[in-house]
Amino acid sequence: MFFLSAVSDGKLTSLTSFFSLEFFIVFLPVCLIGYAVTPAKWKKYFLLVISYVFYWLISGKLLLYLAGITGAVYGFSLWIDRIQQKQKAALKDLKKEEKKQAKQVYIKKQRRVILFAVIADIGLLLVLKYSAFFLGNINALLAFAKLSFRFSIPDFLMPLGISFFTLQALSYVVDVYHGLTKADRNFLRLALFIGFFPQIVEGPICRYNQTAEKLWSVKQIEYKNLTLGLQRFLYGMMKKMVIADRMDPFVESVFSKYDTYQGGIIALAAVCYTAQLYADFSGSMDAVIGIAQVFGVEMPENFERPFFSRTISEFWQRWHITLGAWFRDYIFYPVTTADKMKKLTSSARKKIGNHYGPLLAGSVALFCVWICNGLWHGSAWNYIFFGMYHFVLILIGSLISPLVKKTNQKLHINSDSLPYRLFQTVRTVFLVIIGELFFRAEGLRNGFAMCRAIVTDLKFDSFDRDLLLRSQLGYKDFVLTAAVIGIVFVVSLINEKGIRIRETIAKKNIVVRWAFWYALIMFIIIFGAYGIGYAPVDPLYAQF
Amino acid sequence: MEELIEILEDIQPDIDYENCEDLIDGHHLDSLSILSLVAELEDAFDITIPAIEIIPANFNSAKSMMKMIERLQEEG
């Protein structure tokens, strides 16, 4: 795995996890104390320095990639800005029709710069992340055609978090081109926006307008932000250490040797992996958002209780929200609003109606989004399948929705009733778990074989032997994990009703407040999966 | 405004477009309706709606849509 190569190139590998002792006992306190004692006007520079130190500690010399991408987008945005300034001056005294023509010339120039920026930014990502995959597949085709020529497969070191900060950096240049934000002449402010240490490994993928200015105007740590931020961090720690890391030995054992397990155990592993992935990624996001809150910076949310979704489409509006929003704004709408697509929508709507008309252009754009989504997660066929699986599900959902609506009306089914909503939610979770099985499987072939085993061999009678002995987990591990998942579910349910638990607890008296948070700390210390028998588990999304 | 309401009713009937202020946030219009709407508005008002204009603030009400249309007409 490239991720492991990159990490081994660094100095303090455990720092990649926010919940490692190195991070939250050493790095974070040093960082907070250093920040607190730094004079107000220097705090932003301190954050920038500590962010680059953090990245150097986890990635060593690969830090140059981060600096290089920041430098590139800085240059491209200023180049676009210069063209926009010239455009403004040139168009000043022209009449409306002349303006339209002259504007096109400048837009063409800007588009050329954007093209260079995309080639530089995405090109680097393509070379580092995908060249081995593409060349490997070309070699397989050459072998199939019985040709002796082979490409040598490169083995690049992969900078940690490159898939996240590449998209964030590119969104900034595109936003400058669209006039949504002004080109930043302050290189250091841009560097902090792209390299802010909590978000660099796993996101969220922020827009320049969302966080750049907030990060650059940070002030002294406030008590309220400190406590609320650390509480959010603690909640994420519980998800990661009690649920995700505890499930890891079992999930790893089943997915790596699936052919020695019964179908029932494989199905259980798929469910556990889905819970693990959610607890791991959303737990890390709690940590990121919590740490940022300590500095007084509000980060965008990346999860909004995805397992309450009624459709797959809704699920993806609640899971990894910032990635979905990136694809929506920079792929889906640009594709659907291309001239040819708009003409297609307009004419198709007149022929096949309001629903199916726009679906033609929409499905082309959706295909682009999901192929990119699959590839973004990794350079392997199972990730491409994962993307296509969701594309097909969303497309089917759109195709049959008028039919479902009519059927419900005929059968007098209330689609807002609790049983119907529950049915939709359970169905969505089931489909998500199948998708995650392919996502985690070690190769597409293994994914299909695991599905086959679930269908043809859905037995649990080897539960004791397989599960308890081979993955070294006991019944109590499963009961405990299920109980904590129950806690997360109840918290999510309360949040879904619009009640903010941390704020509610903050209003209680000091004894209740501290008793609650001490209890949570003790809970993590007693029930967290660490120490003998547990290898530290790297954040799952960091490898993407 | 009347022309805009007519287009909206043609795409998605049974909504009180005069008063509704959360067409996007309240999920009254889905992404497919927006695609139809963009194409129809461009034809009807001789404007070009770029992807960056497709944000809830511009499509949450008939009034906000009208504002966007007038701005885009002004900008040419």
Side-chain angles (χ1 to χ4, degrees):
Chain A
M1 301 245 286
F2 287 122
F3 167 60
L4 296 177
S5 315
V7 172
S8 64
D9 194 55
K11 309 283 190 292
L12 275 174
T13 55
S14 314
L15 267 184
T16 48
S17 171
F18 297 123
F19 310 114
S20 65
L21 290 176
E22 285 86 344
F23 185 86
F24 80 88
I25 297 289
V26 182
F27 185 84
L28 189 60
V30 167
C31 180
L32 292 179
I33 293 166
Y35 179 84
V37 298
T38 303
K41 66 174 182 176
W42 293 102
K43 285 192 192 298
K44 55 197 173 204
Y45 302 112
F46 178 84
L47 269 192
L48 178 60
V49 170
I50 206 78
S51 293
Y52 267 67
V53 167
F54 175 78
Y55 199 75
W56 176 71
L57 287 171
I58 60 171
S59 292
K61 62 185 180 229
L62 300 180
L63 174 75
L64 287 174
Y65 283 108
L66 174 64
I69 282 188
T70 308
V73 294
Y74 177 73
F76 284 123
S77 63
L78 288 184
W79 191 355
I80 291 171
D81 183 64
R82 205 162 51 234
I83 297 169
Q84 287 174 339
Q85 296 302 328
K86 281 183 186 171
Q87 175 186 331
K88 213 174 172 184
L91 265 60
K92 208 176 170 185
D93 301 319
L94 295 180
K95 288 176 185 165
K96 199 175 175 181
E97 273 312 303
E98 294 170 330
K99 260 186 192 175
K100 223 174 186 175
Q101 279 183 339
K103 206 174 165 183
Q104 286 308 316
V105 177
Y106 289 99
I107 285 177
K108 262 187 192 168
K109 283 183 184 176
Q110 289 179 58
R111 279 188 183 156
R112 226 171 287 155
V113 182
I114 280 290
L115 187 68
F116 288 144
V118 172
I119 291 170
D121 204 36
I122 300 290
L124 182 70
L125 184 66
L126 284 175
V127 170
L128 293 178
K129 195 168 172 177
Y130 304 104
S131 52
F133 172 68
F134 286 123
L135 291 176
N137 280 291
I138 292 170
N139 281 348
L141 283 176
L142 290 172
F144 184 73
K146 296 195 171 124
L147 294 170
S148 58
F149 178 77
R150 297 285 182 279
F151 288 99
S152 60
I153 307 289
D155 187 16
F156 295 114
L157 291 176
M158 186 85 158
L160 209 57
I162 189 171
S163 303
F164 292 92
F165 66 73
T166 297
L167 295 195
Q168 182 155 322
L170 189 60
S171 76
Y172 161 68
V173 193
V174 177
D175 285 356
V176 170
Y177 162 67
H178 284 141
L180 291 174
T181 187
K182 283 187 178 172
D184 198 337
R185 295 182 179 279
N186 185 339
F187 179 77
L188 299 181
R189 178 165 46 202
L190 185 65
L192 180 59
F193 159 69
I194 296 171
F196 182 46
F197 77 90
Q199 65 167 87
I200 196 83
V201 180
E202 290 189 287
I205 302 163
C206 304
R207 304 294 168 80
Y208 185 85
N209 284 344
Q210 282 177 316
T211 55
E213 201 45 58
K214 287 179 195 165
L215 284 166
W216 203 242
S217 54
V218 281
K219 295 186 179 76
Q220 187 56 281
I221 295 172
E222 290 175 15
Y223 177 77
K224 190 186 169 192
N225 285 336
L226 179 71
T227 51
L228 285 178
L230 291 180
Q231 286 158 9
R232 180 86 188 247
F233 183 91
L234 213 57
Y235 184 58
M237 186 184 246
M238 184 191 77
K239 283 187 195 168
K240 166 82 172 143
M241 292 186 73
V242 186
I243 303 174
D245 291 0
R246 190 170 292 275
M247 281 293 99
D248 192 64
F250 168 62
V251 170
E252 171 60 28
S253 177
V254 176
F255 276 82
S256 60
K257 300 181 202 92
Y258 71 91
D259 50 345
T260 61
Y261 284 96
Q262 286 183 332
I265 307 291
I266 294 173
L268 181 65
V271 174
C272 288
Y273 174 65
T274 306
Q276 182 197 10
L277 188 65
Y278 174 68
D280 187 291
F281 193 20
S282 73
S284 293
M285 286 305 105
D286 289 328
V288 174
I289 293 167
I291 295 169
Q293 187 169 9
V294 171
F295 296 115
V297 177
E298 191 187 342
M299 284 272 166
E301 293 289 342
N302 231 358
F303 289 90
E304 270 182 21
R305 304 165 293 284
F307 294 103
F308 289 112
S309 307
R310 293 166 69 176
T311 61
I312 288 290
S313 180
E314 187 187 347
F315 178 85
W316 283 100
Q317 289 167 33
R318 289 164 168 255
W319 174 287
H320 207 172
I321 298 167
T322 56
L323 179 70
W326 198 97
F327 285 132
R328 181 196 64 209
D329 292 347
Y330 300 107
I331 295 182
F332 184 82
Y333 282 131
V335 171
T336 50
T337 53
D339 286 345
K340 281 184 181 165
M341 288 295 183
K342 278 193 279 202
K343 277 180 192 155
L344 175 68
T345 299
S346 205
S347 62
R349 200 173 79 81
K350 280 160 192 143
K351 285 172 191 157
I352 50 178
N354 282 335
H355 184 79
Y356 294 109
L359 193 56
L360 277 177
S363 57
V364 174
L366 263 184
F367 177 81
C368 298
V369 164
W370 283 103
I371 197 93
C372 290
N373 189 308
L375 279 170
W376 181 89
H377 282 94
S379 50
W381 284 106
N382 57 318
Y383 293 119
I384 295 173
F385 178 84
F386 173 79
M388 288 301 96
Y389 171 78
H390 286 99
F391 163 67
V392 170
L393 287 180
I394 292 171
L395 196 60
I396 291 172
S398 288
L399 283 169
I400 64 168
S401 70
L403 184 72
V404 172
K405 213 173 169 182
K406 269 187 189 170
T407 312
N408 284 348
Q409 275 170 356
K410 272 192 179 173
L411 298 175
H412 303 291
I413 295 171
N414 178 6
S415 59
D416 285 324
S417 65
L418 184 64
Y420 192 80
R421 281 189 290 144
L422 208 60
F423 157 73
Q424 285 184 306
T425 303
V426 171
R427 179 199 57 188
T428 303
V429 172
F430 174 75
L431 293 172
V432 166
I433 290 169
I434 294 174
E436 297 301 354
L437 183 148
F438 280 97
F439 187 76
R440 174 65 174 81
E442 293 172 3
L444 189 54
R445 197 172 300 183
N446 287 8
F448 280 113
M450 290 171 84
C451 274
R452 197 164 44 243
I454 291 173
V455 175
T456 58
D457 186 30
L458 193 64
K459 292 177 197 150
F460 288 92
D461 48 75
S462 66
F463 189 81
D464 286 356
R465 188 192 71 225
D466 279 350
L467 202 124
L468 305 181
L469 293 177
R470 290 170 63 183
S471 65
Q472 297 182 337
L473 292 180
Y475 277 112
K476 66 173 196 289
D477 289 288
F478 279 87
V479 172
L480 176 68
T481 310
V484 181
I485 290 174
I487 294 173
V488 174
F489 176 77
V490 171
V491 170
S492 303
L493 203 63
I494 295 169
N495 284 334
E496 189 76 356
K497 289 183 185 301
I499 301 166
R500 295 188 171 271
I501 293 181
R502 281 184 303 153
E503 276 83 347
T504 310
I505 294 170
K507 285 175 192 159
K508 305 281 179 201
N509 68 54
I510 192 164
V511 179
V512 176
R513 275 199 327 257
W514 283 100
F516 184 87
W517 295 113
Y518 271 128
L520 185 55
I521 292 168
M522 291 311 290
F523 186 79
I524 295 168
I525 291 172
I526 295 167
F527 297 113
Y530 56 89
I532 298 163
Y534 290 100
V537 184
D538 291 317
L540 296 178
Y541 257 71
Q543 64 182 294
F544 304 134
Chain B
M1 193 65 160
E2 271 175 35
E3 195 177 359
L4 171 63
I5 301 279
E6 259 177 48
I7 292 171
L8 284 165
E9 277 173 353
D10 182 41
I11 289 170
Q12 183 78 35
D14 306 326
I15 296 174
D16 178 11
Y17 289 106
E18 302 274 359
N19 299 309
C20 189
E21 299 276 332
D22 63 344
L23 290 170
I24 304 295
D25 295 335
H27 305 291
H28 301 290
L29 290 179
D30 60 12
S31 56
L32 293 181
S33 307
I34 294 293
L35 298 188
S36 291
L37 190 57
V38 168
E40 294 307 312
L41 292 181
E42 289 197 349
D43 280 353
F45 296 97
D46 192 26
I47 50 169
T48 303
I49 303 175
I52 49 159
E53 297 288 350
I54 308 176
I55 51 174
N58 284 341
F59 286 87
N60 257 335
S61 67
K63 271 181 213 158
S64 59
M65 283 182 224
M66 206 60 228
K67 262 189 192 168
M68 176 191 71
I69 291 164
E70 284 166 359
R71 180 167 48 80
L72 291 172
Q73 281 176 328
E74 188 75 16
E75 286 171 7

